[in-house]
Amino acid sequence: MGLFSGARAAIIDAWSWLNYKPLYSDTLGMPNRRAFPEAHASWVPAEHERRLAAYKLLTAYDNNQVAQLDAFRDGDDAREKREFGDPSMFVDTITSHVLGDEQTITVPGAEHTGDQNSTDAATAERVQTLLRDWADDELLPMRLLQTERKAVSLGDGVLLLYWDGDKQRVRVTSYDPGFYFPVVGEDSDGSDFPDRVHFAWELPEDKKRGLPARLRRITYHLDWIRPQTSSAVDTTGRPIRATVMSEATDEQEAQPVLGRGDLVDDSGSITRLYPWSERPSYKTVYLTDATWELGDLKGPVDVDDLPLDKAHFATSDQGEVLDRLDMLIDFVPVIHVPNTVPPAGEHWGQSSLGKVLQVFDELAGSDTDSSRASATTGAPVLAVSGKAVNAQAQYAVAPGMVFTLGEGGSMTSVDTSGNLAELRNHVTDLKDRASGVARLPAVALGTGDASKFPSGFALQLALGPLDSLISGMRLARDHADRLLPKFVQRLHQAGQHPDWIGLPVLPAKLMRGAYTPTDKAAVLEEVATARNAKLISLETAIRRLMDIGWPIEDAEEEIKRIDARSFEDARLLADALNNPDEVASFLGREAPEQPETPPVILPATGALETDDDTVPAAAEESGGNT
């Protein structure tokens, strides 16, 4: 052991790509305490220290502040480093691509609302309309942008959904992943979402209000259903929640009161039937919002086992003390958005900057050198000599200045423009290296000339690395894109919103739009050819055109407009069905009322029986024969 006591530890984990920076990983693999004091707070679990330090360092890259952090270890000279925003440009570009040009919630089956006797399609269309209206009211694209930028730059994004009784709708909030502390069990493989999640952050001292430094923690815990509780106070006057007890009688002592609709099964466990489930559930989510004074946190405690007897519980707008308040839902309304597909057994994603940070460091160094070289190129260094030159004097070069050199005098200029050109070429090479490693082609970054591509197919080939990048990133978000509309439906039903009562929770998904430029003329020709050959339906053709940016807001409405002018198709439909009502429905019109056809009365058969004087003249002329 003595032979290896001084050996450096090689730590390989989800953030080991930062180990190359001495500021982040010392001889023990721990972040610098002066640069990352938040990661070393007493309440932060040891397994989260490197994660929080990585978030702060990545944020510094995004905000051109790496030099300020490096100064903690390398001194004030590190502040001379130039940072020109390349990491931020990468983050913004990748964020826009992974989001797409638009985000739309779709419900499968809603496109078939035109079919007659399709109750399921009408329900799907109703749910889809409600979800899209909610997304407009909640400014969902902005919330998604906030979350996605955190996910791309830091590796993780977090969304919290909750029911707002005042606004009567579900609210969605984006949290910084540095506040997110899931309690992942040792037996979990990382794929299942944890049953207990904490959001925790420190509140600075407020001298104006006389408040010391504090720690706030919001906890969502999926646990067994327990008897009903209500707001109360303890012996010290601190707000808490207490179990509601029934009145005692002569025959029976006071018993805990069950919540409305709760039942006790044969095993003695409490069950509850939620609107979105067909079988009773034994679980519910409890919400706790508490604050601790940092001075009260003593001993080996972390965010998951803070002393509740020192906690000060918050109170909701409805007057409910948030001390294990029953939320009446059986799912934790938190959505974790990893930037990449986590490795097996892991919970965290990886930042899009992770693999190119060393290139960005080289870029910052080259930009700093270029800045210094440009100073000597713009103001060249001169050496003068001669009898008239005062060796102790300082000379400043200015336009029109004349030097008197004397006998044997000379002047020499140091040309550094060649060095500056080489440095700029090196910067260009480093940017190309960063683009290649990050799988962001120059044309995707906006630094390439798209006119050099002879066709849309050639441009598509050049964007191949970007396609694979965005495909993997959207795969990592696929589960979150399905959970979001699912949670929104359930929370609206739990809040008993009148528009959602009686509706089922249908599978829905947040669809992300196109992210690359498309040869619209080629796609249009492809769609038109396939449609004329009857190889695709009109619905598929419309959706394909929407994917490439055609100004079609609603596919179903567009199809109705097209059908309303398809008179040739209507004529063929009339010949095939001979049903005016079907034809009118196809054209979106009402069938005209058909006049009743008078009955046909055929003449009687046999000879006419008439009197002689009533025989027609024509009969008389023909000899009386009829």
Side-chain angles (χ1 to χ4, degrees), residues 71-82:
F72 282 100
R73 185 180 185 276
D74 302 331
D76 291 338
D77 292 341
R79 292 178 177 267
E80 299 298 325
K81 183 186 298 184
R82 295 290 186 267

Side-chain angles (χ1 to χ4, degrees), residues 168-285:
Q168 284 294 297
R169 73 168 185 264
V170 176
R171 305 300 305 277
V172 57
T173 302
S174 177
Y175 267 92
D176 190 297
F179 300 158
Y180 171 63
F181 295 89
V183 181
V184 181
E186 295 180 356
D187 298 332
S188 175
D189 63 352
S191 60
D192 296 329
F193 197 75
D195 293 340
R196 188 164 67 256
V197 171
H198 304 295
F199 293 98
W201 62 93
E202 290 188 9
L203 301 174
E205 181 183 3
D206 189 345
K207 296 182 178 180
K208 184 177 181 180
R209 294 191 296 169
L211 296 175
R214 294 150 291 151
L215 170 66
R216 183 181 180 186
R217 188 190 74 180
I218 301 175
T219 301
Y220 289 86
H221 186 195
L222 181 65
D223 202 0
W224 303 105
I225 299 175
R226 292 180 173 83
Q228 184 179 355
T229 61
S230 63
S231 300
V233 294
D234 62 7
T235 56
T236 63
R238 185 176 59 122
I240 60 171
R241 297 195 70 83
T243 302
V244 177
M245 305 295 291
S246 63
E247 294 184 2
T249 62
D250 296 338
E251 295 82 8
Q252 187 178 8
E253 297 180 354
Q255 299 292 326
V257 176
L258 299 181
R260 185 175 60 180
D262 293 351
L263 300 173
V264 178
D265 64 5
D266 296 337
S267 63
S269 300
I270 302 176
T271 65
R272 180 181 299 163
L273 185 62
Y274 293 99
W276 50 84
S277 179
E278 296 181 354
R279 60 181 182 178
S281 174
Y282 294 89
K283 297 293 188 71
T284 189
V285 170

Side-chain angles (χ1 to χ4, degrees), residues 431-474:
K431 289 185 177 181
D432 292 340
R433 174 69 65 86
S435 298
V437 174
R439 289 186 289 174
L440 276 179
V443 66
L445 285 170
T447 58
D449 187 1
S451 63
K452 294 182 179 179
F453 297 96
S455 66
F457 182 69
L459 177 61
Q460 186 176 359
L461 289 178
L463 292 172
L466 178 65
D467 292 337
S468 64
L469 171 67
I470 300 302
S471 177
M473 295 177 68
R474 290 192 174 184

Side-chain angles (χ1 to χ4, degrees), residues 25 48 128 201 285 426 428 436 469 484 522 531 596 599:
S25 181
H48 292 274
Q128 179 175 273
W201 62 93
V285 170
H426 184 53
T428 302
L469 171 67
L484 178 65
R531 177 62 182 149
E596 294 185 2

